[in-house]
Amino acid sequence: MCGTPAGRASQLQSPAVEIVSLGYRTDIALLERGGSSVEHHGDHVVVRSPNNPTFWWGNFLLVADDAAARDADRCLERFADAFPAARHVAIGFDGTRGQASDLAAYVDAGLTVEESAVMTARSVHPPPRPNTDATYRQLTSDDDWAQSVELRVACNEDGLEPVRYREFAVDRTATSRELSDAGHGGWFGAFLDDRLVSQMGLVAASPGLARFQSVETHPDVRGRGLAGTLVHHVSRYGFGELGAQTLVMVADPAYLAIRVYRSVGFAVSETQLGVQRRPPEDTPGRPR
């Protein structure tokens, strides 16, 4: 799978790679809607986001989750050929039932395995304890979107370098606003006294399919039912205005929020695997 370095491949793109992972398929569809380029090379896909070069998973390689993908040296060489100036590494594996233990060679090479739960719902119901204190609505004004950036920055809890993370947040929010303004989906928030405290987006990925984006709640107000109530609110928009039949959400299987999504009707349908290496300045715990 990772035998021929991308830099030596033909200038002509190969036929489109059929992506089997619902998580990566919707990831790439939304990135493409937001202006990213998607290059198909027969046995792998290269995704580039020139509008947000610091977004690791907007600039990544997707390869089939097969035995050849275990050849870490060759896949890392392919990434380096595709992204010679990148200070990060991000490689996704296109499968639905992979196991993190299969990627030990990448761990030995200094990368971190990213395992996510792909959750889907064809209907939703209110959470068991909905929050009625907040106002739930779509982001529309300049102030709404400015608050969206600040909320995203407040949710940087992995110790990522703050200046670069703010740059990422500004670029990512600009893309979100463009998608919303173009009618591809919407970004919604929970507001307490006009303060944005929880947010998420929902974008149409293909006919009948919509994908949640950037589910974030301010650390000071978690555990109050805001995210679950907002997910339910936004899901109804997806089934109604977007005409979706299936909603997709990707979550950290070890994170408590996964119970929130289950509480409104989502269930795990796939496992999504990837590996990444952060730039040195983005190492968690680095002094700021």
Side-chain angles (χ1 to χ4, degrees), residues 98-105 113 115 273:
Q99 296 183 351
S101 59
D102 295 335
L103 303 174
V113 176
E115 181 175 352
L273 289 178

Coordinates of all heavy atoms in Angstrom, one line a residue, residues 98-105 113 115 273:
G98 N -10.4 -1.6 12.8 CA -8.9 -1.7 13.2 C -8.7 -1.7 14.7 O -9.6 -1.3 15.5
Q99 N -7.5 -2.1 15.1 CA -7.1 -2.1 16.5 C -5.8 -1.3 16.6 O -4.9 -1.4 15.8 CB -6.9 -3.5 17.0 CG -8.2 -4.4 17.0 CD -8.0 -5.8 17.5 OE1 -6.9 -6.2 17.8 NE2 -9.1 -6.5 17.7
A100 N -5.8 -0.5 17.7 CA -4.6 0.3 18.0 C -3.3 -0.6 18.1 O -2.2 -0.2 17.7 CB -4.8 1.1 19.2
S101 N -3.5 -1.8 18.6 CA -2.3 -2.7 18.8 C -1.7 -3.0 17.4 O -0.5 -3.4 17.4 CB -2.7 -4.0 19.5 OG -3.7 -4.6 18.8
D102 N -2.4 -2.9 16.3 CA -1.8 -3.2 15.0 C -0.8 -2.2 14.6 O -0.1 -2.4 13.6 CB -2.9 -3.3 13.9 CG -3.9 -4.4 14.2 OD1 -3.5 -5.4 14.8 OD2 -5.1 -4.3 13.7
L103 N -0.8 -1.0 15.3 CA 0.1 0.1 14.8 C 1.3 0.3 15.7 O 1.8 1.4 15.8 CB -0.8 1.4 14.8 CG -2.0 1.3 13.9 CD1 -2.9 2.6 14.1 CD2 -1.6 1.1 12.4
A104 N 1.8 -0.8 16.3 CA 2.9 -0.7 17.2 C 4.2 -0.1 16.6 O 5.0 0.6 17.2 CB 3.2 -2.1 17.8
A105 N 4.4 -0.4 15.3 CA 5.5 0.1 14.6 C 5.6 1.6 14.5 O 6.6 2.2 14.6 CB 5.6 -0.5 13.2
V113 N -1.0 6.9 18.6 CA -2.2 6.4 17.9 C -3.4 7.1 18.3 O -3.6 7.4 19.5 CB -2.3 4.9 18.3 CG1 -3.6 4.3 17.6 CG2 -1.1 4.1 17.8
E115 N -7.3 6.8 18.3 CA -8.4 5.9 18.1 C -9.7 6.6 18.4 O -9.9 7.2 19.5 CB -8.3 4.7 19.0 CG -9.4 3.7 18.8 CD -9.2 2.4 19.7 OE1 -8.1 2.3 20.3 OE2 -10.2 1.6 19.7
L273 N -9.0 4.8 13.0 CA -7.6 4.8 13.5 C -6.8 5.8 12.7 O -6.9 5.9 11.5 CB -7.1 3.4 13.4 CG -7.6 2.4 14.4 CD1 -6.9 1.0 14.1 CD2 -7.3 2.8 15.8

